[in-house]
Amino acid sequence: MNGRINDQKFLAASVSLKRFAQKSVLAPVVLGSFFIWALSPFPVFAQATLTRAPYIQNVTASTAEVVWKTAAGGDSTVKYGTTTSYGQQATGEAGRSIIGGQPGFLHHVKITDLAVNTKYFYQILTSGQSLSPAADPSYYFKTALPTGSTTPFTFAIFGDRSSGTIASALNTRNPDFYMVAGDVAYNYSADGSVQDAQHFGPFNIINRHTPVYPTCGNHDSSACPTLVDEHALPQGGKAGGLSTFSFDWGNAHFTAINSNASVTYNSSSPQSSAPQMVWAYNDLKNSNQPWKILFWHHNAWSSGSHNTLTNIVNGPAKMAQDLGVDLVFWGHSHVYERFSRYPANGPAFFTIGNGGRTSGTPNCGPYPSGPTCLASSHGEAGFLFGEVNGNDMTLRYVTSGNANPDTSTYKSDGTGGPPPTTNTADLNGDGKVDVIDLGILLSAWGQTTKPKSDINQDGRVDVVDLGILLSKWG
């Protein structure tokens, strides 16, 4: 062989050494046509393990952020482009430990200089290894509308998830982004196990292309620092304290506060309120957007699984009224409740705490010194789906079965909102008039504070309402 290495033997030796390197600390260095094996502290050929699928975060008109988790460290790269051929790539921070000490490493890449309202496809890589399929069109994100744009967009919101019950219906509606009004998981954990089972796992399909904006609820409170750390939120999720942030999308401004922290509000001197309330007050007041939307976790008025909380009524709910906020959403009470604007032309309030947890049957009626409940759920999980079109907004209550039993419409000038949906014999909103509706009516017999059972809206529940119900039986 005149001192030359037989090519087949060399190839076999190389393959054997490469397999050995996958299980050892040897790394190849190429010199000419020969491999020289040098000691290295890392197994270069070791298989990276994806332990949390990629999720899209904090999308603006020109940026987007992609986050995923692996069992080991390594660098973080995203290939992206307007086609599945990609053509561009961005690098981010190397895999890092997560607050709370949970196993694994978080990878985070921020992509900049993107075109407005444009769809991009992407693929994630750690240490050069692909961790999502190449050319898969289901891995994408779409940049946001610029501030002030009147182009239509959609969003969804719910709280108190605890399971993947609504995941399929949410995927079907496919909003531009969605928000979680607290209790993202029961109980959000420092070790990551609970949120993987209830949040990142069941919602991995929509999370791979739709940004999610969560705020902490009472069941997230002990691990709220971990929740904020695991999500790339606007202003780092700490604009006015932990789990507070705001963002614009088109002609709407969204503000999140943390109702686990102090929500003390001084109406006569707002700047002397609790720190996060001072921030939220200034944030909302300084926004010139036609739509102003505020959300947090604990309910103000409710008669579901939780009753009315006066500190919330006197705190963020009062602040929303003073500032002329258009819509307010909260969770905590495991039902859906749509309230009247309060005061007239003031905010429209919603309970949407049945994103997975469902308990309590709301007593849908008026509240002393408060709004009137106009519609409610009865035992099913659901979410609100918002359709914004310039100065008009339609809010659809969507159940886990993708039904739409309640719809309301609003205008950004403080008007709108349909009349009460109580003038119907289908008292539980399940699409039929049957013995359940009869039971609801009879339980309110003779009362004057049960407008949902007052079918003819004459101020009392009596034989006339019974006659209407029986005429629509079945």
Side-chain angles (χ1 to χ4, degrees):
M1 299 296 291
N2 297 322
R4 297 177 61 191
I5 299 176
N6 180 281
D7 288 342
Q8 291 182 342
K9 290 183 178 179
F10 175 74
L11 179 59
S14 297
V15 170
S16 297
L17 286 169
K18 186 177 292 186
R19 288 173 177 169
F20 175 72
Q22 291 175 342
K23 301 178 181 179
S24 69
V25 291
L26 292 177
V29 178
V30 178
L31 293 178
S33 60
F34 294 92
F35 285 93
I36 297 178
W37 297 90
L39 288 174
S40 169
F42 300 105
V44 172
F45 293 105
Q47 181 79 14
T49 303
L50 184 69
T51 57
R52 183 178 295 161
Y55 48 105
I56 299 299
Q57 289 283 275
N58 194 21
V59 171
T60 71
S62 61
T63 66
E65 304 184 44
V66 188
V67 184
W68 67 96
K69 184 182 172 185
T70 63
D75 60 25
S76 311
T77 301
V78 173
K79 293 181 179 179
Y80 68 97
T82 54
T83 71
T84 52
S85 297
Y86 309 125
Q88 301 180 76
Q89 72 176 36
T91 58
E93 61 181 331
R96 62 168 179 81
S97 298
I98 305 168
I99 289 178
Q102 68 179 262
F105 296 83
L106 208 63
H107 298 262
H108 174 211
V109 176
K110 182 175 183 178
I111 307 171
T112 60
D113 300 320
L114 300 172
V116 172
N117 194 29
T118 300
K119 187 175 184 178
Y120 289 87
F121 302 94
Y122 73 92
Q123 182 184 27
I124 62 169
L125 303 92
T126 293
S127 298
Q129 181 181 324
S130 300
L131 295 181
S132 63
D136 187 332
S138 72
Y139 288 82
Y140 70 88
F141 59 83
K142 187 177 181 181
T143 49
L145 297 171
T147 299
S149 171
T150 57
T151 300
F153 70 90
T154 60
F155 68 88
I157 187 167
F158 56 87
D160 303 75
R161 178 159 37 193
S162 82
S163 69
T165 307
I166 63 171
S168 177
L170 192 63
N171 291 341
T172 299
R173 297 284 170 164
N174 195 24
D176 289 308
F177 61 94
Y178 75 93
M179 299 164 285
V180 184
D183 284 0
V184 179
Y186 281 74
N187 295 302
Y188 209 96
S189 60
D191 69 7
S193 60
V194 178
Q195 55 267 40
D196 280 337
Q198 299 179 9
H199 171 39
F200 296 110
F203 291 80
N204 72 90
I205 294 177
I206 193 166
N207 287 347
R208 75 174 57 157
H209 55 70
T210 299
V212 52
Y213 298 89
T215 189
C216 290
N218 58 295
H219 286 280
D220 310 310
S221 182
S222 62
C224 191
T226 302
L227 185 153
V228 172
D229 189 48
E230 289 184 308
H231 294 83
L233 297 171
Q235 302 99 43
K238 301 176 183 178
L242 189 64
S243 186
T244 64
F245 56 88
S246 66
F247 62 96
D248 287 335
W249 199 292
N251 63 344
H253 183 74
F254 297 83
T255 302
I257 61 173
N258 182 358
S259 56
N260 296 297
S262 174
V263 291
T264 300
Y265 172 65
N266 188 331
S267 183
S268 60
S269 179
Q271 302 305 319
S272 62
S273 303
Q276 72 164 343
M277 301 295 286
V278 173
W279 167 79
Y281 181 91
N282 293 331
D283 175 77
L284 288 160
K285 185 177 182 180
N286 293 333
S287 173
N288 294 318
Q289 293 279 67
W291 292 102
K292 295 183 181 183
I293 298 167
L294 178 60
F295 67 103
W296 63 80
H297 178 62
H298 292 83
N299 59 274
W301 303 276
S302 182
S303 59
S305 63
H306 291 278
N307 294 323
T308 296
L309 298 174
T310 56
N311 68 315
I312 304 297
V313 171
N314 297 329
K318 174 59 176 171
M319 180 182 72
Q321 294 167 323
D322 289 349
L323 289 168
V325 170
D326 297 282
L327 299 164
V328 175
F329 304 108
W330 55 66
H332 196 50
S333 191
H334 300 159
V335 295
Y336 164 68
E337 295 168 308
R338 173 168 60 85
F339 299 96
S340 62
R341 287 187 178 273
Y342 183 72
N345 298 331
F349 297 96
F350 292 82
T351 304
I352 187 66
N354 59 335
R357 287 291 173 104
T358 56
S359 56
T361 299
N363 172 10
C364 196
Y367 289 83
S369 302
T372 297
C373 175
L374 302 178
S376 61
S377 65
H378 291 269
E380 78 274 24
F383 59 92
L384 268 173
F385 183 74
E387 302 167 357
V388 183
N389 186 359
N391 291 323
D392 297 298
M393 184 184 299
T394 299
L395 290 174
R396 303 183 188 279
Y397 172 60
V398 180
T399 69
S400 58
N402 207 24
N404 175 206
D406 186 55
T407 299
S408 52
T409 58
Y410 301 90
K411 291 186 177 294
S412 60
D413 63 1
T415 62
T421 59
T422 55
N423 192 20
T424 173
D426 179 16
L427 299 179
N428 70 334
D430 65 354
K432 56 185 179 292
V433 178
D434 56 14
V435 67
I436 298 176
D437 304 294
L438 177 60
I440 293 171
L441 186 144
L442 294 177
S443 68
W445 192 266
Q447 298 184 29
T448 59
T449 58
K450 303 278 188 180
K452 192 173 186 65
S453 300
D454 180 14
I455 300 174
N456 71 337
Q457 298 287 280
D458 67 352
R460 60 186 180 276
V461 179
D462 58 13
V463 69
V464 177
D465 303 297
L466 176 60
I468 296 173
L469 185 146
L470 294 176
S471 70
K472 298 181 180 295
W473 193 268

